């Protein structure tokens, strides 16, 4: 889909490419859920792609794409999201938001192991994104104060991930005795369990610029002071970025079951035609990839 996406196409054409490839080359007759093929401002709509918003926007040069699609194989689901620029090259704003999310994605995976509380992983993702946005002068102030006021939920209003199995949102997230948190962002978590060996769970941090969430933050005299509204304005029509992988929890850590280009330079190289996955015997330079 990355390689064939280009300005002028329709979102549903990207969906059809995925459906065809999954069936023809992966023997996957069904998807795990309705494909989310969002570009431009649509990428800030968390479950875009349903009947009322049917992946029908025209792709424009300069858009980011957020492709949340998963094939079903032998009744088991997958749930994967890739975000990338339609024209194949990240601009500075796109790279800023994308790298903030990627850093959160990688931080969570590096901390995952049995016994870790999922709510702590969600907070780690929020904190990492806020730190990255602060470094880029999009927000300012004390990160701990932002976390206390739950400002991470302004940029990431959904939960970090969910159990995955025969159902995309597999049951078991809230066994008897566990109550769903009430705070913004945390209330959207589909589980707050401790990780256990053998679990399969998605890691899907995101960063979005959603007017319906930014307006109340701006109107709040305390929360508003943390935002650089002049910078925020530059991202008004940005939409959002989400990066999602499927993780298997092992005895010592976790295994990432998702093999997609994730670094910005990997994505740009793949969209330019470089093979994926890269051959282990070929160096980055030989494969047309930068050394760093």
């Amino acid at each position: 889909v990355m390689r064939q996406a280009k300005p002028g196409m329709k979102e549903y054409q990207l969906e059809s490419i995925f459906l065809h490839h999954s069936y023809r080359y992966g023997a996957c007759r069904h998807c795990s859920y309705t494909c989310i093929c969002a570009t431009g401002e649509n990428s800030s709509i968390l479950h875009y792609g349903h009947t009322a918003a049917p992946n029908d926007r025209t792709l424009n040069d300069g858009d980011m794409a957020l492709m949340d699609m998963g094939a079903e194989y032998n009744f088991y689901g997958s749930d994967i999201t890739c975000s990338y620029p339609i024209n194949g090259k990240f601009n500075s704003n796109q790279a800023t938001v994308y790298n903030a999310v990627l850093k959160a994605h990688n931080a969570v995976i590096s901390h995952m192991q049995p016994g870790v509380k999922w709510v702590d992983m969600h907070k780690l993702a929020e904190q990492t994104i806020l730190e990255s946005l602060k470094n880029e002068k999009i927000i300012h102030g004390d990160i701990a104060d932002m976390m206390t006021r739950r400002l991470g939920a302004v940029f990431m209003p959904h939960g970090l991930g969910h159990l995955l199995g025969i159902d995309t949102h597999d049951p078991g997230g809230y066994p008897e005795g566990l109550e769903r948190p009430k705070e913004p962002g945390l209330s959207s978590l589909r589980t707050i369990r401790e990780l256990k060996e053998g679990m399969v769970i998605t890691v899907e941090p995101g960063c979005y610029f959603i007017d319906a969430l930014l307006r109340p933050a701006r109107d709040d005299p305390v929360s508003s002071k943390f935002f650089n509204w002049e910078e925020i304005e530059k991202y008004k029509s940005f939409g959002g970025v989400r990066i999602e992988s499927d993780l298997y929890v092992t005895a010592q850590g976790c295994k990432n079951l998702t093999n997609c280009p994730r670094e910005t330079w990997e994505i740009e190289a793949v969209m330019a035609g470089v093979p994926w996955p890269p051959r282990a015997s070929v160096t980055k330079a030989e494969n047309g990839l930068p050394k760093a």
Side-chain angles (χ1 to χ4, degrees):
V1 178
M2 282 184 185
R3 290 199 179 108
Q4 295 188 53
K6 54 179 63 65
M9 294 177 68
K10 291 285 190 179
E11 292 167 335
Y12 58 73
Q13 291 179 293
L14 305 185
E15 177 181 9
S16 71
I17 293 167
F18 176 79
L19 296 174
H20 173 71
H21 189 94
S22 297
Y23 197 1
R24 181 170 183 177
Y25 298 102
C28 298
R29 190 175 193 180
H30 301 290
C31 280
S32 308
Y33 51 92
T34 303
C35 292
I36 300 170
C37 297
T39 61
E41 294 183 52
N42 289 344
S43 57
S44 67
I45 303 171
L46 301 186
H47 285 101
Y48 178 77
H50 53 80
T51 305
N55 295 329
D56 60 357
R57 182 179 179 274
T58 301
L59 282 55
N60 294 318
D61 193 358
D63 281 347
M64 278 292 286
L66 188 158
M67 301 285 113
D68 187 337
M69 304 182 285
E72 181 182 287
Y73 184 72
N74 281 351
F75 300 105
Y76 281 85
S78 62
D79 191 352
I80 298 165
T81 306
C82 296
S83 298
Y84 47 87
I86 286 298
N87 63 15
K89 292 288 184 182
F90 285 88
N91 63 35
S92 59
N93 287 356
Q94 291 169 344
T96 290
V97 180
Y98 184 89
N99 285 325
V101 177
L102 181 62
K103 189 174 181 179
H105 169 273
N106 293 346
V108 169
I109 291 174
S110 70
H111 283 79
M112 285 176 61
Q113 61 181 358
V116 168
K117 295 180 180 178
W118 194 240
V119 68
D120 291 340
M121 294 296 93
H122 179 95
K123 290 179 179 178
L124 173 62
E126 285 184 327
Q127 180 177 325
T128 304
I129 290 171
L130 289 174
E131 288 171 348
S132 294
L133 296 181
K134 180 179 177 179
N135 289 339
E136 296 296 331
K137 308 295 190 295
I138 296 171
I139 55 177
H140 42 229
D142 185 73
I143 297 294
D145 289 344
M146 295 183 206
M147 293 292 291
T148 298
R149 293 195 61 81
R150 301 295 313 133
L151 296 188
V154 174
F155 296 102
M156 189 176 86
H158 58 74
L160 175 63
H162 51 82
L163 297 171
L164 177 68
I166 291 177
D167 195 359
T168 305
H169 295 151
D170 229 25
Y174 285 91
E176 188 175 353
L178 285 183
E179 292 189 10
R180 187 181 293 271
K182 301 294 192 296
E183 301 96 321
L186 302 182
S187 62
S188 298
L189 280 165
R190 295 184 182 271
T191 185
I192 57 170
R193 290 175 63 182
E194 289 187 359
L195 296 179
K196 295 183 181 296
E197 182 180 359
M199 280 183 172
V200 177
I201 193 165
T202 67
V203 173
E204 48 181 303
C207 181
Y208 316 84
F209 295 83
I210 303 171
D211 280 343
L213 299 178
L214 289 168
R215 280 197 304 270
R218 188 165 196 165
D219 293 340
D220 184 283
V222 178
S223 296
S224 181
K225 68 181 182 180
F226 292 100
F227 295 81
N228 182 343
W229 294 108
E230 186 176 338
E231 284 298 309
I232 292 283
E233 189 66 23
K234 298 176 184 178
Y235 293 85
K236 189 172 181 179
S237 60
F238 182 91
V241 165
R242 183 164 62 253
I243 301 172
E244 180 178 15
S245 299
D246 302 338
L247 278 295
Y248 170 68
V249 182
T250 64
Q252 288 78 36
C254 63
K255 179 181 180 181
N256 192 343
L257 306 177
T258 303
N259 183 11
C260 293
R262 292 304 195 193
E263 300 289 344
T264 55
W265 54 264
E266 290 177 328
I267 291 169
E268 290 181 350
V270 167
M271 293 185 76
V274 170
W276 186 268
R279 299 191 302 275
S281 59
V282 179
T283 67
K284 288 180 182 178
E286 291 170 334
N287 213 8
L289 301 176
K291 293 182 179 180

